[in-house]
Amino acid sequence: DVKVTQSSRYLVKRTGEKVFLECVQDMDHENMFWYRQDPGLGLRLIYFSYDVKMKEKGDIPEGYSVSREKKERFSLILESASTNQTSMYLCASSPDDRGNSPLHFGNGTRLTVT
Amino acid sequence: GDSVTQMEGPVTLSEEAFLTINCTYTATGYPSLFWYVQYPGEGLQLLLKATKADDKGSNKGFEATYRKETTSFHLEKGSVQVSDSAVYFCALKSPRGSARQLTFGSGTQLTVLP
């Protein structure tokens, strides 16, 4: 089975801190994603990466950046955390950019910014 | 642009009741349609999918039929169990798009009581 591992289940950070959310997948997938999940809003795509060092902005990239130095690892960075970034963050991966391969999700990181 | 509209929750049912969660979509052409499920404390996982009109996706007793004429993909199960308590997300993928162009609905919380 594909395993997508997010390094933290819960994080509490202070406003203005730099925050790193880490995600690792073990199936050599090309594509990796960061979503944000908020009640009533579903999942919104923050950033997407289709190869090492390659990234594209999603629907809500403001206030976030990403890093993909190795194929298996995709990091989400909050340069200066703000209270409106309190949310559940979900990482996902998929094997290719064609067809209908499903996304494989991690268990999520619940971030609270105080 | 593409959009997915799900019935608002939460939905509460007794065990063995019939379940319907409505999902309608707006998209150009013939998108692929998906249902994802998120069990408590976990990430999303693919429940079922359909890639063309009149296709029926099924898994774990759940079914959904791709209805092009009504632009719908309603999720049904004949007899729900307590273990089906979860959040259900309808999603579509544009036929023109890459994996990043997966649009999610807002999610429907289902609680099944014994």
Side-chain angles (χ1 to χ4, degrees):
Chain A
D1 274 354
V2 176
K3 194 164 180 65
V4 179
T5 304
Q6 295 183 230
S7 55
S8 303
R9 290 300 304 271
Y10 300 94
L11 276 179
V12 180
K13 298 292 181 181
R14 293 193 181 276
T15 301
E17 279 193 77
K18 190 169 186 176
V19 182
F20 293 85
L21 303 184
E22 306 288 345
C23 175
V24 176
Q25 51 97 0
D26 66 356
M27 283 301 293
D28 202 37
H29 285 174
E30 285 81 11
N31 301 325
M32 295 189 76
F33 308 80
W34 276 106
Y35 287 91
R36 165 174 179 159
Q37 181 181 5
D38 298 289
L41 297 177
L43 274 69
R44 294 179 291 169
L45 182 65
I46 305 172
Y47 266 98
F48 160 64
S49 170
Y50 52 92
D51 202 349
V52 174
K53 297 189 188 293
M54 306 303 289
K55 61 187 179 185
E56 285 187 17
K57 293 180 180 180
D59 300 319
I60 52 164
E62 296 78 19
Y64 304 94
S65 61
V66 290
S67 172
R68 193 165 181 202
E69 297 295 321
K70 293 185 178 181
K71 191 173 187 179
E72 67 271 18
R73 186 179 297 271
F74 192 35
S75 302
L76 180 69
I77 303 156
L78 286 66
E79 297 289 343
S80 178
S82 63
T83 55
N84 63 13
Q85 293 179 308
T86 291
S87 187
M88 172 69 84
Y89 291 88
L90 293 172
C91 176
S93 71
S94 71
D96 60 48
D97 200 33
R98 304 177 304 273
N100 297 297
S101 301
L103 299 184
H104 298 267
F105 284 85
N107 286 345
T109 296
R110 185 166 294 283
L111 172 66
T112 302
V113 183
T114 60
Chain B
D2 298 343
S3 67
V4 176
T5 302
Q6 285 183 238
M7 66 182 286
E8 292 192 14
V11 174
T12 303
L13 296 173
S14 298
E15 206 164 24
E16 299 184 3
F18 184 85
L19 168 71
T20 300
I21 299 178
N22 290 338
C23 171
T24 57
Y25 67 89
T26 302
T28 303
Y30 291 85
S32 296
L33 300 172
F34 307 82
W35 277 101
Y36 280 81
V37 58
Q38 184 180 32
Y39 297 105
E42 299 182 11
L44 281 71
Q45 56 186 273
L46 180 67
L47 181 60
L48 53 84
K49 69 179 182 182
T51 58
K52 60 183 187 294
D54 300 324
D55 264 3
K56 177 184 284 188
S58 61
N59 186 25
K60 300 182 180 180
F62 290 89
E63 293 183 340
T65 301
Y66 187 162
R67 301 285 188 201
K68 180 67 176 174
E69 63 276 11
T70 54
T71 62
S72 65
F73 193 54
H74 304 323
L75 183 68
E76 295 182 337
K77 187 175 186 182
S79 176
V80 293
Q81 306 300 312
V82 171
S83 57
D84 294 327
S85 297
V87 181
Y88 292 82
F89 292 90
C90 185
L92 73 80
K93 181 180 171 186
S94 168
R96 302 162 293 137
S98 65
R100 71 184 293 274
Q101 293 183 9
L102 195 65
T103 302
F104 286 89
S106 57
T108 301
Q109 172 79 55
L110 170 67
T111 301
V112 180
L113 302 175

